[in-house]
Amino acid sequence: MATKPDFQGHRPNFRDPNNIPLQRLSESPRSSDSDIHGPLTPSEVHKLRQLHGINTVETGQKRTWYQLLFRALCHPFNILLIILATTSGATEEYKTMGIMFAMVLLSTLLRFHQEYKSEIAVKSLLKFVTTKVIVIRYDVLQVKDIEISIASSELVPGDWVKLFPGELVPADVKVIDSKDFHVSQAVLTGEAIPVQKYVNHLQARSTTSISTTSDYHSSTETLTGTSKNGGFPSKLNPSSPSRKISPVRKFFRTMFGLPVYSEQNISDAEAGLMVSDLDKPELCFMGSAAVSGTATCRVVYTGSKTHFGRMATELAKRRPQNAFQLGVRRISWIFFITMICLVPPVLLLQGFIVKDWYAAFIFALSVAVGLTPEMLPMIVNTTLAKGALQMSRRQCIVKKLDAIINMGGIDILCTDKTGTLTNSIVTLHRYVNRQGVSSSSPLFLGYLNAHFQSVQQNPLDSAIVTYIDTVVKRGSISIERASRRALAAASKRENPMFSGLAAKFSLQDELPFDFVRRRMSVILKESGGGDNHHHHDENTILICKGAVEEVISQCTRMLDDTEMTNVYAVIRNEVATYPLTSSVQAELLELNEELSKDGLRVVAVAYKNLGSVNTFRVEDECDMTFVGFLAFLDPPKETSKEAIKNLQEHNVKVKVLTGDSPLVCKKICREIGLSVDTIVTGKDLAGASEEQVRKLVEEATIFAKLTPIQKSDVVRALKKNGHIVGFLGDGINDAPALTEADVGISVDSGTDICKESADIILLEKNLNVVVDSVIVGRMTYGNTLKYIVMAVSSNFGNVFSILAASAWLPFQPMGSLHILTQNLLYDISQIAIPWDHMDPEFLMVPHRWSMKSVLKFMVMIGPWSSVFDITTFLFMYFYFEIKTLDDDVNLFQSAWFTVGLLTQTLIVHMIRTPKIPFIQSWASLPVVCMTVIIMCTGLALPYIPGVSDWLHLSHLPWQFYPFLFSLLFCYCCAAQLAKVIYLVLFKEWY
């Protein structure tokens, strides 16, 4: 057993303030380890922070306002518009150029405004999610080392930090003391199996000053004690051959939002720490997670100088895009391809038919602008930002905006039981021996086990300590079937067993809990205070507490405590024990099952007398003596029943993934109204094939006795079955499943690794918050899809209309200024879409991005607008007899300008709902107001002095308006008919 550092009373002489390098702690009990330095003083911390900066890693997500402005301006659609506007200016079409630049300015400013607001909102919200760490520093006033809790960003090289299970390693550190300390390095190596970290005395070497180190790479050898060699970590090392990206290719990949990182293998200089360093037992790296045990470590590198910091940018570049991101990119490509395919035929047709190649060229440019959905990025960003704001008002912080879309699409929610379905206010309900009779033996052995843990206690341990402190010490008798005689004696202080129990023992060692053994033990030594004539200085006892089956499997005897009232008799091995036969084991398991059926969470307590052993290992948890059971009650939340009902009404199935007993979980589920069809345990999954697992996850509601990896396997199997899966958890055992899920959901009180792995963090651990988030996600998805399907269907219809007009009419059906003005007004009308609402029926079912659905919608709805465009052509051609260039072409163009603007503005209301607009479903007030404003503007433009002349718009005769309103009515009816046909054929909307 490794001794612990002496944190108090050992302090080196003050250092020269100009000499930042730290001196070794010469008086430390571990002074033989030359790598150990004393905790820092406040002045040293200040100087080191000035030298090294704060302990944060830039991943490319934090952007300044001018970076956001540049990003908003340099969108592919804006670049295209700038090119077209510049071309128009070169041909002295200054009006056309002005309108194009106005569209660029409008799109850029709107997108910048929304992204800047979103950036500010996310930064302010993430302040609620802080990562704390226990650090040991020297207090110059108290003249001793003290432990304080600080934000991990405040760490500096040289700090001493204490790490516990569930915490993220906050920097690159070197272990100076540990006890059964295991970390998961999956984020660095891809290996899910935790590795043990400890002081490697054989490899310990002196290190030079870390405080004055300015170059990370040159000091890697100093940190590890070895020269750098080997390859890049397996998870990050590309297997493809080296290949550089040309500047031209990089420019176009940047334009279209494609990854621009080089596919070449990263050099050793860029890689930082190597695999050989990751395998070193004394080194832990930022981003890895403490799984079990405890450790005290010295910070070596912080922030961008850490291994994770060096790789953060590369990791961010390599992050795969989700279906929504890929879908938006493909939609952008559809628009570009449509434009490229349409503009040349229009140019040729206009050139040969109109015989004016200059006018044909300007018209083709205007058509290209009309087919460019320049508002797409603004609409997407605004809807996501608005969704994030709505969710924050519901006590939900969104770390990744795209997760909102996935949140609306989940059809299965996997959740842990404790604290989510239950109150997480655990109380000790019963303590019984092997016969089910109340007994003080398991109570007080369990208390000693919980009291002496140095690792953070779980709710069960807290319940034991609270029970002793409140019920026993105060003599309150409120537990069913309690040991009344023992409690009465305790209240009168007649029995030394209850008087200052913990003070009679000293902690020798502990074997921390892990999710494989599912138990933990403390090794105690009696230090005096019992019956003096029976006192033995060398009495050492191992007290084990854990899952019933796992503890009983390591027991060979059982305690007969029917007459025993003094816990010291157990310590001194002065009590009767009997062999634990297989039949008794069966009886114990049956008793456990009976308690579990009552909704009680049961743990077993056992002990082992060790004599005068000085070293302790996990293997010592054998040949133990079974004492009894502790049964805890964690009642379901009052809100859980309502939340489960709401989730089911919104077609989200709930599955419970827990490490707890299946019987306890089943009772809780029934109390909250969650029907249980099938229960699957970890043993069932361990022996099943992949096909069997995929079948089991569909049938089962409860998955009990799961390991952390098995939770992840269940989520993965559900995803393979075609589900969008959300996972809600807050414990370290939930981290793998959070990473695997489509949407990882944690809480602000969860472990660091969970908050880091999650996409969404709840400020309140309540399933009703999840219900609200699902609804907001579906609304956000619906509003985003409104614009996308509207844009693709309108553009698809415009293709046929423009081609038909260009091939038939001996003049341009609409002037270039008309097209640009119409497109500008149309874009303005769409600004209000993110503030629209969705029909209740739409919010009741999950939705996932489907490119096929968008294309089907485009084909079914798009051509209808062409029918009415051609009808307008025919009306103007035959009724007003505008057939040649000598006729009133300006009137023809003004008429189609008005018809096109009104129909495109109305399409928002037709596509936003499968119902009949304005009768069965109304849009939100901002959308209605914007529609009225734009339609009135379009009708008024031909009559506004100066503007009509500048745009070359003619006054429309009164005979045109009956046709116009009849056309709009018929257009709405036809669009509604098309929607009905679409719903009949495809049984879906969007």
Side-chain angles (χ1 to χ4, degrees), residues 910-931:
M910 301 306 304
I911 289 180
R912 64 171 297 277
T913 175
K915 299 179 179 180
I916 301 175
F918 310 115
I919 297 177
Q920 295 179 323
S921 178
W922 276 84
S924 65
L925 183 60
V927 175
V928 173
C929 291
M930 194 62 70
T931 298

Side-chain angles (χ1 to χ4, degrees), residues 947-962:
V947 177
S948 59
D949 296 334
W950 190 77
L951 293 176
H952 304 299
L953 290 172
S954 298
H955 292 192
L956 297 170
W958 68 268
Q959 296 92 338
F960 172 74
Y961 288 99

Side-chain angles (χ1 to χ4, degrees), residues 387 390-398 407 410 413 420 637 639-640 642-644 646-647 728 745-748 760-777:
Q390 285 181 304
M391 292 175 72
S392 69
R393 292 170 179 168
R394 291 168 168 81
Q395 302 296 304
C396 181
I397 296 175
V398 180
M407 193 70 186
I410 63 173
L413 176 67
T420 304
K637 290 182 178 179
T639 58
S640 295
E642 178 188 359
I644 292 294
N646 289 334
L647 285 169
L728 173 59
I745 310 168
S746 188
V747 293
D748 63 334
I760 292 175
I761 297 179
L762 308 181
L763 298 181
E764 178 184 355
K765 195 170 184 181
N766 190 331
L767 275 181
N768 282 315
V769 180
V770 178
V771 177
D772 293 338
S773 301
V774 168
I775 294 174
V776 172

Side-chain angles (χ1 to χ4, degrees), residues 737-788:
L738 283 168
T739 305
E740 184 65 38
D742 293 295
V743 185
I745 310 168
S746 188
V747 293
D748 63 334
S749 59
T751 57
D752 294 342
I753 182 61
C754 284
K755 289 188 287 186
E756 185 69 22
S757 304
D759 304 303
I760 292 175
I761 297 179
L762 308 181
L763 298 181
E764 178 184 355
K765 195 170 184 181
N766 190 331
L767 275 181
N768 282 315
V769 180
V770 178
V771 177
D772 293 338
S773 301
V774 168
I775 294 174
V776 172
R778 292 178 182 178
M779 189 176 297
T780 302
Y781 172 83
N783 284 333
T784 305
L785 262 290
K786 283 176 189 176
Y787 176 83
I788 292 176

Side-chain angles (χ1 to χ4, degrees), residues 8 42 64 90 159 166 182 353 499 557 565 590 595 687 732 748 834 853 877 916 942 945:
Q8 309 209 6
T64 60
D159 263 330
H182 291 76
I353 294 177
S499 179
R557 303 189 67 80
T565 58
E590 184 178 349
L595 294 171
I732 184 174
D748 63 334
S853 296
Y877 189 88
I916 301 175

Side-chain angles (χ1 to χ4, degrees), residues 386-419:
K386 182 175 179 293
L389 182 60
Q390 285 181 304
M391 292 175 72
S392 69
R393 292 170 179 168
R394 291 168 168 81
Q395 302 296 304
C396 181
I397 296 175
V398 180
K399 291 176 59 182
K400 303 172 186 175
L401 288 180
D402 290 330
I404 299 175
I405 300 296
N406 287 338
M407 193 70 186
I410 63 173
D411 57 344
I412 290 182
L413 176 67
C414 297
T415 176
D416 193 10
K417 175 182 69 69
T418 304

Side-chain angles (χ1 to χ4, degrees), residues 782-938:
N783 284 333
T784 305
L785 262 290
K786 283 176 189 176
Y787 176 83
I788 292 176
V789 298
M790 177 179 59
V792 296
S793 58
S794 296
N795 281 12
F796 189 63
N798 289 338
V799 169
F800 294 105
S801 301
I802 293 172
L803 286 176
S806 299
W808 168 35
L809 298 174
F811 51 83
Q812 293 179 356
M814 195 186 301
S816 59
L817 280 178
H818 301 149
I819 295 177
L820 296 174
T821 304
Q822 182 189 86
N823 197 44
L824 179 61
L825 292 173
Y826 177 54
D827 288 342
I828 294 174
S829 72
Q830 297 162 346
I831 294 175
I833 289 178
W835 284 266
D836 196 14
H837 53 70
M838 302 299 300
D839 293 331
E841 295 81 1
F842 183 89
L843 301 178
M844 299 305 293
V845 294
H847 303 273
R848 66 167 64 219
W849 173 268
S850 172
M851 194 67 187
K852 291 182 179 179
S853 296
V854 174
L855 296 178
K856 288 185 294 186
F857 205 97
M858 178 182 73
V859 173
M860 287 294 299
I861 305 298
W864 287 98
S865 62
S866 296
V867 173
F868 293 94
D869 287 336
I870 296 173
T871 301
T872 303
F873 299 160
L874 293 173
F875 179 75
M876 301 302 296
Y877 189 88
F878 290 106
Y879 185 83
F880 289 101
E881 296 185 347
I882 304 176
K883 301 179 179 180
T884 66
L885 285 170
D886 297 329
D887 298 322
D888 193 356
V889 174
N890 216 29
L891 177 62
F892 188 104
Q893 294 174 340
S894 300
W896 192 34
F897 167 84
T898 304
V899 170
L901 179 60
L902 298 187
T903 54
Q904 287 194 72
T905 305
L906 279 176
I907 195 66
V908 177
H909 298 270
M910 301 306 304
I911 289 180
R912 64 171 297 277
T913 175
K915 299 179 179 180
I916 301 175
F918 310 115
I919 297 177
Q920 295 179 323
S921 178
W922 276 84
S924 65
L925 183 60
V927 175
V928 173
C929 291
M930 194 62 70
T931 298
V932 172
I933 291 172
I934 296 302
M935 292 183 71
C936 291
T937 302

